[in-house]
Amino acid sequence: MTVYGNFPGSRPRRLRTTPTMRRMVAETRLDPANLILPAFVREGIDAPVAISAMPGVQQHTLDTLRKAAVEAVSAGVCGIMLFGVPADEKKDARGTAGTDPDGILQVALRAVRQEVGDDLVIMSDLCLDEYTDHGHCGVLTADGRIDNDATLERYAEMAQVQADAGAHVVGPSGMMDGQVGVVRDALDQTGHEDVSILAYTVKYSSAFYGPFREAVGSSLMGDRKTYQQDPANARESLRELALDLEEGADMVMVKPAGPYLDILAKVADSVDVPVAAYQISGEYSMIEAAAEKGWIDREAAILESLTGIRRAGAQMILTYWATEVAQRLGRR
């Protein structure tokens, strides 16, 4: 063969030669501590209910939720985000089950806190959509529009009852203007200064939420485009970010994760607070469906998708695979 001096002088492939070499020089690492498990707990059931659009995910009873929390702790997962699914007859226009101290989410928060204490960061979804008979994230006016400021009053009540029930972190997710500031004031005024706020700072009106609607038994009529963000826009995400930080957000989140890695990277580069991303139901279901068909390697695709989210800047990832992936990482 012809040798052209020392060409090529640089050989990046030298650092890819073995699995151990690749692991040693990896720039991005997944750790169980990066993972948060979203979990659904449903009122009035005595056995878990499978979510057909999300294979492997279920609506929990209180007992199976406790077990899931313990399993997450054992795997090294650091957080759990709880969503309540009330009985249909308890839904109303103002979502009063969401602020009932004995509502399903508050009962679940107390149960998980009693089970695992501070071994898991217990987070609560702070939104009205699961509890309203119209399925929107706030109170409606007579002509069917979201009343932003009336909704903020309801969020303040939700923050107080969730903190009373044992939440370490509340996650206001309704995308109302001013929600973080109102929630912070409500917590501080009721002696919950240590309860953190994970702000849903960037939450797009996404087609990928579809399976989640089944998971929470959504009663949604219409869409949420007047309060969730337009997928075409990027700059307004940074405006929302600035507002949430000014209002007292302790952590910020981008949702969905995979389709918005560019936004996640912008947010991560702009802040000095922890950044989370939510790998949502549609992202989960697409991988599970393709894997079931034999079109992709399930385990490899899961890890690749999570690594991409982590590489883009997320320190915390909400994913329905949290416990499974944490267990796998622990076996490496």
Side-chain angles (χ1 to χ4, degrees):
M1 59 177 291
T2 302
V3 178
Y4 298 96
N6 64 346
F7 176 84
S10 180
R11 296 181 182 267
R13 287 183 56 204
R14 291 178 183 136
L15 301 183
R16 305 171 197 155
T17 52
T18 68
T20 305
M21 176 70 80
R22 293 191 293 273
R23 186 158 60 93
M24 183 179 74
V25 301
E27 299 173 28
T28 303
R29 299 184 190 278
L30 272 178
D31 186 89
N34 301 131
L35 306 176
I36 297 168
L37 176 68
F40 307 101
V41 57
R42 179 172 168 182
E43 186 173 23
I45 58 174
D46 54 15
V49 176
I51 299 168
S52 63
M54 300 176 68
V57 181
Q58 59 192 10
Q59 295 171 327
H60 285 285
T61 67
L62 288 173
D63 284 342
T64 62
L65 179 64
R66 290 188 189 96
K67 292 176 183 176
V70 170
E71 186 180 26
V73 171
S74 297
V77 171
C78 274
I80 188 168
M81 174 68 79
L82 300 184
F83 296 85
V85 184
D88 285 343
E89 62 270 18
K90 293 189 177 179
K91 296 181 180 183
D92 60 27
R94 293 181 58 80
T96 54
T99 51
D100 180 353
D102 294 320
I104 182 60
L105 180 54
Q106 285 67 254
V107 171
L109 286 166
R110 289 193 291 270
V112 173
R113 188 66 183 267
Q114 182 180 34
E115 189 70 37
V116 300
D118 294 335
D119 291 342
L120 199 61
V121 177
I122 302 168
M123 305 178 172
S124 55
D125 179 58
L126 198 163
C127 196
L128 289 171
D129 60 317
E130 295 100 322
Y131 310 100
T132 55
D133 53 12
H134 47 72
H136 280 286
C137 297
V139 179
L140 300 184
T141 63
D143 59 357
R145 295 180 296 108
I146 292 286
D147 187 327
N148 190 95
D149 295 358
T151 299
L152 293 181
E153 294 179 13
R154 301 288 293 124
Y155 287 1
E157 296 175 52
M158 292 189 82
Q160 293 170 25
V161 297
Q162 290 178 2
D164 287 342
H168 294 101
V169 178
V170 296
S173 61
M175 294 304 290
M176 296 298 119
D177 294 337
Q179 63 185 14
V180 172
V182 165
V183 167
R184 183 72 269 159
D185 285 346
L187 292 170
D188 291 350
Q189 290 169 16
T190 54
H192 295 298
E193 296 89 350
D194 290 339
V195 174
S196 301
I197 297 176
L198 171 57
Y200 282 62
T201 292
V202 182
K203 186 177 181 182
Y204 282 96
S205 179
S206 172
F208 293 97
Y209 293 134
F212 182 87
R213 306 276 161 79
E214 177 189 348
V216 296
S218 176
S219 303
L220 181 64
M221 304 174 187
D223 59 49
R224 297 178 173 136
K225 293 182 179 180
T226 63
Y227 45 103
Q228 293 179 354
Q229 291 168 243
D230 185 341
N233 293 348
R235 285 194 302 270
E236 71 173 344
S237 296
L238 298 181
R239 183 183 183 195
E240 294 275 5
L241 175 64
L243 291 168
D244 283 354
L245 292 174
E246 182 181 346
E247 292 173 24
D250 299 290
M251 301 171 277
V252 296
M253 179 149 65
V254 175
K255 181 180 182 181
Y260 297 94
L261 294 181
D262 60 324
I263 306 300
L264 174 58
K266 287 178 184 290
V267 169
D269 287 344
S270 302
V271 300
D272 57 4
V273 300
V275 176
Y278 197 145
Q279 185 181 53
I280 66 170
S281 59
E283 298 175 73
Y284 173 93
S285 296
M286 287 192 301
I287 289 177
E288 289 287 352
E292 190 276 331
K293 290 283 189 181
W295 294 340
I296 59 173
D297 180 323
R298 178 181 179 275
E299 291 191 3
I302 291 170
L303 285 178
E304 185 176 338
S305 68
L306 292 171
T307 300
I309 297 166
R310 181 85 175 91
R311 188 184 63 243
Q315 293 163 261
M316 303 167 292
I317 305 172
L318 286 82
T319 175
Y320 300 100
W321 289 303
T323 301
E324 175 190 340
V325 170
Q327 290 170 338
R328 195 187 315 166
L329 293 172
R331 291 193 295 268
R332 284 184 167 184

